Amino acid sequence: MLKVTWRNLFARKIRLVLSGFAIVIGVAFVAGSLVFTDTMSKSFDDIIKGGTSDVTVRPAGQDNWSGDSALIDTRAIPARTLQSLESVPGAARVDGTVSSQSLFVIGTNGKVVGGTGAPTLSFNYNDAPSITGKPSVLISQGHAPHGAHQVALDPTTVDKAGYALGDTVQMISSGDRPHVTAKLVGIGQFGGGGLAGASLVLFDTHTAQQLFFGGRDVYSSVALTAQDGVSQQQLAHEASEKLPSGLEAVTGDVVAKETQDQIATVLNFLNIFLLVFAAIALVVGTFLIINTFSILVAQRSRELALLRALGAARRQVTRSVLLEALVVGFIGSTLGLLGGFGLAAALKAVFATFGLDLSATALVFSARTVVVSYLVGLLVTMFAAYLPARRAASIAPVAAMRDDIALPESSIRRRLVVAGVLGVIGIGLMAGGLAGSGGSGAALVGVGVFAILISVALMSPVLGRPVLRALGVVYRRAYGTVGSLATENSLRNPRRTAATASALMIGMALVTTMSVLGASVNKSIDVSVKKEFTADYLVSNAIGQPFSTKIAEQVRDTDGVAKVAQLQWLSAKVDGQSLNLTASDPGELRSIFDVPARSGTMDVRDGQIALSGDAAKKLHAGVGDTISMAFPTGTQKAQVVGVFTSSNVLGSSLVPFSTVERARLPRFDSSVAVNADSPADVAAVGNRLDALTQDVPTVTVQSQQEFSDAQRAGVDQLLYLIYALLGLAIIIAVLGIINTLALSVIERTREVGLLRAVGLSRRQLRRMVRLESIAIAVLGAVLGVVMGLVFGVVLQRAVADQGITELAVPGLQLVVFIVLAAVVGVLAAVLPARRAAKLNVLRAITTE
Amino acid sequence: MTTIAARATALTKVYGKGDAEVRALDGVSLEIGSGEFTAVMGPSGSGKSTLMHCLAALDTVSSGEIHIGDTNIAGLSDKKLTELRRDDIGFVFQSFNLVPTLSAQENILLPLSIAGRQPEAEWFDTVIEAVGLRDRLGHRPSEMSGGQQQRVACARALMSRPSIVFADEPTGNLDSTSGAEVLGFLQRSVRDFGQTIVMVTHDPVAASYTDRVVFLADGRLVDELHAPTADSVLERMSQIQLRHNRQGPVEFQDAALAGEPES
Ligand SMILES: Nc1ncnc2c1ncn2[C@@H]1O[C@H](COP(=O)(O)OP(=O)(O)OP(=O)(O)O)[C@@H](O)[C@H]1O
Ligand SMILES: [Mg+2]
């Protein structure tokens, strides 16, 4: 039997290569995701470890707040604390750190370097070592900055900005004097290697204090380095003895762990995101493999029956088919693993363009990646081959004697029953998931969608018939006999056609779902912007960073400006849950935006707050209640005076500016809304605002249209990324069509010969194959688009109360999908059609 | 005088090279008159099928010329050859003659519909009547007996009124009754409609339906018989067999030698 298996493998190498390719793509996706996320976490580990000192002294309570960019902690450690720490036993050295993320480098082209991606980190330079023993920052070229007019930057930022040593670097901060210039005297880098795309800006300590602490001799944190033989714990313990209240000494390991944990949630999300697409690719690939093995078994049925007649046991026949699958799975997984490496490299490059530069870390190839890849590849192949293998074994030995062999097929009724049960389970899971929330809810919805798709795939031999018949009418009209031959061919093996189309259906259904959701989100944005963003202009920071209130003052002084409302976004913790706050002047705000109170008043005074309906529900608070808001700098109480319907302008809540002051947080603006005097003035005011903010590149002025365009651009970008990833599933589906057609052409060799003998030209033959291919592709696309529409509409309805209020069906886009599917059909047919046309007529007729 | 429907001149077909060389046809010259029913007979491996395939433009020749009507098929492009097969030649194979996805009627009209031509209703009726398949027109090949399938194939071959029909052992797989139906139909189409037919057969009874039998042996034309009967054909076959036994082993099929219809 082993010999038979090997012979078969070699005799059918092209077909197996095609089905093996599905495994390659699926496994490559899995391996690529793992390698990429491993690489990413290694890169961050290096950075974190290379930048953390043995013990860090910092204001207490920061660990709950770090990573919250809406907050700027203005608490600082005075220089005398630093001095007192110098006498801590076991401390080799004590270095004060001044850090900020509010400064940006402006390139020679006048644009902000970095932008929306990784942050720009500003530090005072010192050569204090990190827990790795190496200095946190190394100056590789030039020298360390000294004095008010010198700066050092990391090499990538220098490149991107277009500066060279000795040039004057333009920078901008969110402070009152936003423009900062300094001479580039050095190029420095983190001791941990790369920066993952972040920018590094280094000053001397005094200059950094000038820039970020208004010249006070204070520090953001203090780095303690242990003497040889002194542990982090010991040092942290000794240091905490000397600390005034409000400060804490934390070991480097703990700080590193905190940072890693924050990043891990992001990495996990990314990993799951990528693995979802790997799963989609594998499910689609499974269809392709099941189909390929089914056809191969069907074509070999006479031979298998002969083997059975010669005394091979059922088990041996099954095993021979499974062995074939094992070899295919093994080779496919190996190639997939290599492909995954390539994919990870490609992902690295893609993420680099988004600003996440991991070039300092080599790809991480862990044993887990190898094991998981082989496991997934082999299991999927074996599973996919098992069904056809079992069918092969049930061939009766007597079939060897018969002329036309039909493989025993499971009854269509049983199939429909299984499909029905699966469908009901799927709907149940989806409903459950939509009722639930968070990650597990989303996972349930995902599994439910898959169950429904598989159920439809099982039913597709029945569902597909009317579609193919309808297409047949069109074909016959347009192409006469060739058209009806193609139609009949697509109908002669309904399961084969349906399975091939189902692979495409899955990809198409997901693409359609995303496009319906995307269009709905965009439409909802448009509608809500039109309804709520009643300002003529919105001044905001492109990077989401707050900016100096000086800007708003200048805006108020601009000719033609009638009304101005300043908004600052913060966040606080209420009963352990985080609550986003919008601080503004209620009077000014309501002169521009219409946010009516559902109950109570929107006119919040000192010590008061208005909540959105959702927030009120979440916090179980109503008008008259008092809630306590925790900021890193302290806690304050606020009385709820109003509840409003959810609003995109305000988010969850409205507080007066006094809340910010009381929290001892700095006053910045996150956004400034502007209305012109009269409609005639709008354009002119826009120009004046543009001129005003021209030399502050971090701040942009957007009209209503520009604002919604910018929002939509974000949605579209995400959609394109998802389309690109789903594209891989579609590529696998196309391979499936190629495979099925190629196998069908081989199976119908004699028929092809006959058709040619009675006068079918090569062209007509090619057209026949092409039309069959298009029929399969269009069937898949139609089923997919219908399913996607259903999913899209259901999901939109389910999230309607979360802001996606509008349903939009991108009709034109859906038509384009189906047309594209037809084009895909044409492309998939190229090789099989050529193969059919090349058949020697005589040899074709005389083949057995 | 009759016109010539097909003519082969000094036809040679060589398979393989060197030691493995097989001269399947070795200088065959043959004229098929219009409206003539010709049988090609000969021992297995004598080149009958090869001759048919070459004449029907399904295969290329090593040397020599073939004319279908006035057309020299040497040097015709694949497109022209396809059109020739579609419009001027009909073919009936021993088995697997029909497209399984098409009904009997669709199979019969296949060459016409491929060419995008409309069938003449009257001719269609005549042919259907002649093959006696009126009540089977909507059936698929899998729903028909072997004899019915072959009659459908014959009807298809006649439908486009080709200048010549080739049939390679059309009754080879049929019992004597079904075989007689098919042969009777072929004979009538020659007598009644003036169709030209060339048929390969091993069966002296089948040959007796024809006007003329040509005998092939080792790729050469060795004999010819006009107005054959089953007995006269059988006698010629034995003679050829004897002559060849002296030169080398040539076998007729046992059944044919015994003069029994194949079953
Ligand atoms: N494709 C081929 N390659 C090599 N030799 C071939 C090929 N086709 C036929 N032959 C050889 O050519 C000779 C004639 O074959 P052909 O099929 O014409 O015989 P035939 O008279 O039809 O025999 P039968 O009565 O068995 O059908 C045989 O010796 C055969 O082996
Ligand atoms: Mg033959």
Side-chain angles (χ1 to χ4, degrees):
Chain A
M1 284 311 268
L2 198 62
K3 212 158 154 194
V4 175
T5 304
W6 277 115
R7 289 264 165 76
N8 281 324
L9 275 172
F10 284 106
R12 294 171 171 77
K13 49 188 177 306
I14 307 168
R15 304 164 226 184
L16 289 174
V17 161
L18 281 171
S19 63
F21 208 75
I23 293 295
V24 173
I25 293 189
V27 170
F29 228 125
V30 173
S33 311
L34 293 176
V35 169
F36 179 67
T37 41
D38 281 353
T39 306
M40 212 149 133
S41 67
K42 165 94 168 46
S43 173
F44 279 113
D45 275 5
D46 289 349
I47 295 169
I48 292 163
K49 293 233 170 74
T52 306
S53 55
D54 289 341
V55 167
T56 302
V57 171
R58 64 186 184 189
Q62 232 172 25
D63 49 338
N64 289 325
W65 297 92
S66 42
D68 202 336
S69 65
L71 279 173
I72 293 169
D73 194 346
T74 44
R75 291 177 301 165
I77 301 170
R80 27 179 174 69
T81 311
L82 193 74
Q83 278 150 22
S84 70
L85 284 168
E86 267 160 13
S87 60
V88 168
R93 56 185 288 178
V94 175
D95 297 270
T97 307
V98 178
S99 66
S100 169
Q101 295 189 20
S102 63
L103 186 85
F104 296 91
V105 176
I106 296 167
T108 45
N109 61 359
K111 294 229 170 75
V112 178
V113 176
T116 46
T120 298
L121 310 168
S122 303
F123 287 105
N124 61 327
Y125 171 76
N126 58 47
D127 58 356
S130 71
I131 44 181
T132 60
K134 285 187 275 182
S136 311
V137 178
L138 292 166
I139 298 288
S140 54
Q141 266 184 61
H143 58 82
H146 290 295
H149 303 293
Q150 294 193 354
V151 67
L153 298 174
D154 68 282
T156 317
T157 303
V158 169
D159 265 5
K160 279 195 212 153
Y163 289 122
L165 276 183
D167 285 357
T168 300
V169 177
Q170 302 286 333
M171 287 163 286
I172 190 147
S173 76
S174 49
D176 290 350
R177 288 182 304 122
H179 285 275
V180 178
T181 54
K183 195 170 121 190
L184 182 63
V185 297
I187 292 179
Q189 235 176 341
F190 267 142
L195 277 160
S199 297
L200 184 61
V201 183
L202 300 166
F203 298 99
D204 74 2
T205 304
H206 184 70
T207 310
Q209 288 171 334
Q210 284 291 331
L211 283 170
F212 306 121
F213 288 116
R216 290 182 293 148
D217 188 10
V218 295
Y219 298 91
S220 320
S221 63
V222 178
L224 295 165
T225 309
Q227 285 168 355
D228 283 347
V230 178
S231 74
Q232 289 184 5
Q233 282 78 8
Q234 274 172 298
L235 185 62
H237 181 74
E238 297 287 355
S240 40
E241 306 274 288
K242 306 249 171 186
L243 287 179
S245 71
L247 293 182
E248 61 180 1
V250 188
T251 62
D253 289 346
V254 170
V255 173
K257 182 79 176 37
E258 282 169 14
T259 323
Q260 279 165 347
D261 286 350
Q262 283 161 29
I263 290 172
T265 48
V266 178
L267 284 183
N268 270 340
F269 175 76
L270 195 67
N271 207 357
I272 289 171
F273 181 77
L274 291 173
L275 286 176
V276 162
F277 289 97
I280 294 170
L282 281 168
V283 168
V284 174
T286 307
F287 275 84
L288 171 49
I289 298 165
I290 292 182
N291 224 16
T292 308
F293 274 91
S294 299
I295 302 175
L296 290 181
V297 165
Q299 289 177 358
R300 280 170 54 200
S301 48
R302 188 195 298 269
E303 177 196 325
L304 292 172
L306 193 64
L307 285 173
R308 291 271 286 127
L310 293 178
R314 265 166 194 254
R315 211 153 22 92
Q316 281 175 302
V317 172
T318 312
R319 226 188 283 153
S320 130
V321 175
L322 284 181
L323 203 59
E324 248 182 86
L326 190 71
V327 175
V328 172
F330 184 79
I331 296 174
S333 306
T334 309
L335 293 177
L337 207 49
L338 295 178
F341 213 55
L343 194 70
L347 280 172
K348 220 168 125 176
V350 169
F351 275 79
T353 66
F354 286 122
L356 188 65
D357 186 359
L358 303 175
S359 53
T361 314
L363 289 177
V364 178
F365 220 27
S366 70
R368 179 203 55 171
T369 306
V370 177
V371 171
V372 169
S373 298
Y374 274 109
L375 219 58
V376 165
L378 289 177
L379 285 181
V380 167
T381 326
M382 299 294 279
F383 166 75
Y386 178 70
L387 301 172
R390 234 187 38 178
R391 205 128 40 88
S394 57
I395 295 173
V398 68
M401 290 41 169
R402 282 207 305 262
D403 205 25
D404 51 336
I405 303 181
L407 266 184
E409 293 205 320
S410 56
S411 81
I412 195 83
R413 186 168 312 150
R414 203 172 78 194
R415 199 182 165 106
L416 289 180
V417 168
V418 173
V421 171
L422 207 58
V424 170
I425 293 175
I427 292 171
L429 286 175
M430 236 180 116
L434 290 174
S437 64
S440 60
L444 273 186
V445 171
V447 175
V449 163
F450 257 127
I452 295 172
L453 282 176
I454 303 286
S455 150
V456 172
L458 284 173
M459 286 189 275
S460 58
V462 178
L463 295 178
R465 253 191 131 67
V467 179
L468 291 174
R469 285 257 171 250
L471 213 56
V473 172
V474 177
Y475 277 5
R476 215 154 305 170
R477 284 267 161 76
Y479 301 106
T481 309
V482 174
S484 58
L485 282 170
T487 311
E488 292 305 326
N489 281 340
S490 69
L491 282 167
R492 82 206 279 180
N493 263 320
R495 286 173 200 213
R496 187 186 295 182
T497 303
T500 312
S502 296
L504 189 60
M505 172 192 81
I506 294 179
M508 277 293 181
L510 297 175
V511 166
T512 305
T513 308
M514 292 320 298
S515 83
V516 170
L517 285 181
S520 299
V521 169
N522 277 338
K523 189 172 172 199
S524 306
I525 289 174
D526 268 0
V527 168
S528 82
V529 166
K530 284 236 164 58
K531 206 170 75 191
E532 298 183 32
F533 283 80
T534 34
D536 289 333
Y537 291 102
L538 216 55
V539 181
S540 58
N541 183 306
I543 310 161
Q545 288 278 338
F547 48 91
S548 165
T549 50
K550 283 262 161 56
I551 305 261
E553 280 165 35
Q554 287 171 316
V555 169
R556 284 179 199 277
D557 291 343
T558 306
D559 270 357
V561 168
K563 296 168 186 161
V564 173
Q566 291 166 263
L567 293 90
Q568 179 171 8
W569 298 319
L570 324 145
S571 80
K573 289 226 152 79
V574 177
D575 293 339
Q577 304 191 66
S578 94
L579 174 68
N580 291 321
L581 306 175
T582 302
S584 188
D585 178 309
E588 282 185 338
L589 183 83
R590 297 177 67 201
S591 73
I592 295 184
F593 299 116
D594 175 35
V595 255
R598 207 164 63 189
S599 60
T601 172
M602 292 301 284
D603 198 15
V604 287
R605 306 262 166 83
D606 199 16
Q608 296 180 335
I609 187 171
L611 293 173
S612 74
D614 287 343
K617 207 156 94 191
K618 201 170 89 178
L619 300 174
H620 306 293
V623 174
D625 293 344
T626 299
I627 58 172
S628 127
M629 303 181 290
F631 295 94
T633 44
T635 303
Q636 54 177 291
K637 292 203 178 320
Q639 192 197 9
V640 180
V641 293
V643 174
F644 55 89
T645 337
S646 293
S647 144
N648 288 309
V649 177
L650 291 184
S652 310
S653 67
L654 175 64
V655 293
F657 284 128
S658 62
T659 308
V660 182
E661 281 141 31
R662 277 217 244 164
R664 277 177 293 141
L665 292 169
R667 256 297 280 131
F668 284 113
D669 281 331
S670 306
S671 159
V672 176
V674 183
N675 264 7
D677 255 338
S678 68
D681 260 2
V682 171
V685 168
N687 289 337
R688 273 174 227 142
L689 291 177
D690 277 338
L692 181 77
T693 54
Q694 196 173 26
D695 56 343
V696 196
T698 47
V699 173
T700 57
V701 177
Q702 290 173 316
S703 66
Q704 192 187 64
Q705 189 58 43
E706 285 162 343
F707 178 79
S708 73
D709 285 351
Q711 305 274 308
R712 297 169 56 132
V715 176
D716 287 341
Q717 203 172 22
L718 183 66
L719 268 186
Y720 292 141
L721 178 67
I722 292 176
Y723 286 164
L725 292 168
L726 288 174
L728 279 166
I730 289 175
I731 288 177
I732 296 180
V734 174
L735 286 176
I737 298 178
I738 296 178
N739 217 8
T740 302
L741 285 175
L743 290 167
S744 298
V745 164
I746 293 170
E747 203 174 51
R748 300 173 197 156
T749 299
R750 281 177 76 169
E751 195 180 318
V752 168
L754 177 69
L755 285 168
R756 292 273 289 131
V758 300
L760 196 74
S761 68
R762 290 211 163 114
R763 243 180 104 126
Q764 287 174 312
L765 183 60
R766 278 197 296 265
R767 178 177 294 158
M768 184 183 89
V769 177
R770 203 182 306 133
L771 288 178
E772 183 179 354
S773 175
I774 294 175
I776 298 176
V778 168
L779 171 62
V782 167
L783 289 178
V785 164
V786 170
M787 293 310 295
L789 265 177
V790 173
F791 291 145
V793 171
V794 168
L795 291 178
Q796 184 274 328
R797 289 271 162 261
V799 292
D801 56 348
Q802 286 166 41
I804 322 263
T805 47
E806 307 298 316
L807 172 68
V809 174
L812 184 68
Q813 210 174 344
L814 300 186
V815 172
V816 169
F817 287 160
I818 294 180
V819 172
L820 277 181
V823 174
V824 158
V826 172
L827 294 180
V830 168
L831 289 176
R834 189 181 297 169
R835 198 184 166 130
K838 265 209 246 156
L839 282 177
N840 177 297
V841 179
L842 193 56
R843 218 168 297 147
I845 299 173
T846 48
T847 46
E848 273 305 302
Chain B
M1 72 146 269
T2 56
T3 52
I4 302 301
R7 179 171 50 214
T9 320
L11 219 53
T12 310
K13 174 78 185 176
V14 183
Y15 288 115
K17 282 213 178 83
D19 282 350
E21 187 181 282
V22 178
R23 297 183 85 78
L25 292 178
D26 193 2
V28 174
S29 293
L30 179 68
E31 286 187 349
I32 308 289
S34 228
E36 205 177 32
F37 192 177
T38 309
V40 179
M41 300 195 75
S44 184
S46 56
K48 304 182 294 292
S49 296
T50 308
L51 177 64
M52 297 284 265
H53 293 148
C54 290
L55 286 173
L58 288 170
D59 206 354
T60 54
V61 297
S62 303
S63 70
E65 279 187 2
I66 294 168
H67 287 82
I68 299 292
D70 296 329
T71 318
N72 183 349
I73 68 168
L76 287 187
S77 66
D78 180 78
K79 191 164 169 251
K80 289 272 178 244
L81 282 177
T82 303
E83 280 168 14
L84 184 77
R85 282 200 302 265
R86 192 181 69 196
D87 301 334
D88 292 329
I89 298 175
F91 215 110
V92 181
F93 299 98
Q94 184 170 355
S95 62
F96 200 78
N97 259 304
L98 306 179
V99 178
T101 47
L102 300 182
S103 67
Q105 172 163 0
E106 286 166 331
N107 264 295
I108 292 171
L109 295 177
L110 189 58
L112 284 180
S113 57
I114 286 173
R117 283 197 274 141
Q118 285 301 315
E120 301 161 38
E122 211 175 310
W123 177 236
F124 180 76
D125 279 340
T126 314
V127 172
I128 296 306
E129 211 53 61
V131 283
L133 284 170
R134 189 161 294 286
D135 53 342
R136 285 277 183 278
L137 283 180
H139 290 212
R140 296 236 172 153
S142 58
E143 297 158 346
M144 287 187 286
S145 74
Q148 287 166 339
Q149 288 183 31
Q150 287 304 76
R151 280 187 278 153
V152 170
C154 292
R156 180 188 64 207
L158 293 180
M159 203 50 226
S160 58
R161 294 187 196 262
S163 47
I164 188 163
V165 170
F166 296 98
D168 192 350
E169 302 189 48
T171 57
N173 282 339
L174 303 180
D175 64 36
S176 52
T177 325
S178 314
E181 282 172 5
V182 171
L183 289 165
F185 169 66
L186 290 177
Q187 194 178 42
R188 253 175 292 135
S189 59
V190 173
R191 300 247 167 94
D192 301 352
F193 317 133
Q195 183 62 55
T196 313
I197 299 179
V198 183
M199 171 181 77
V200 170
T201 183
H202 282 111
D203 177 8
V205 177
S208 69
Y209 283 80
T210 65
D211 305 323
R212 168 200 185 202
V213 181
V214 294
F215 293 92
L216 271 181
D218 288 338
R220 260 168 276 197
L221 267 186
V222 291
D223 210 341
E224 192 171 328
L225 186 66
H226 286 270
T229 64
D231 289 339
S232 65
V233 170
L234 195 55
E235 191 195 311
R236 280 304 161 89
M237 281 161 71
S238 326
Q239 283 173 15
I240 293 166
Q241 178 79 53
L242 280 178
R243 216 182 308 155
H244 275 268
N245 276 353
R246 263 174 266 140
Q247 295 166 353
V250 175
E251 286 166 32
F252 276 102
Q253 284 179 357
D254 296 344
L257 258 182
E260 285 164 7
E262 291 175 41
S263 57

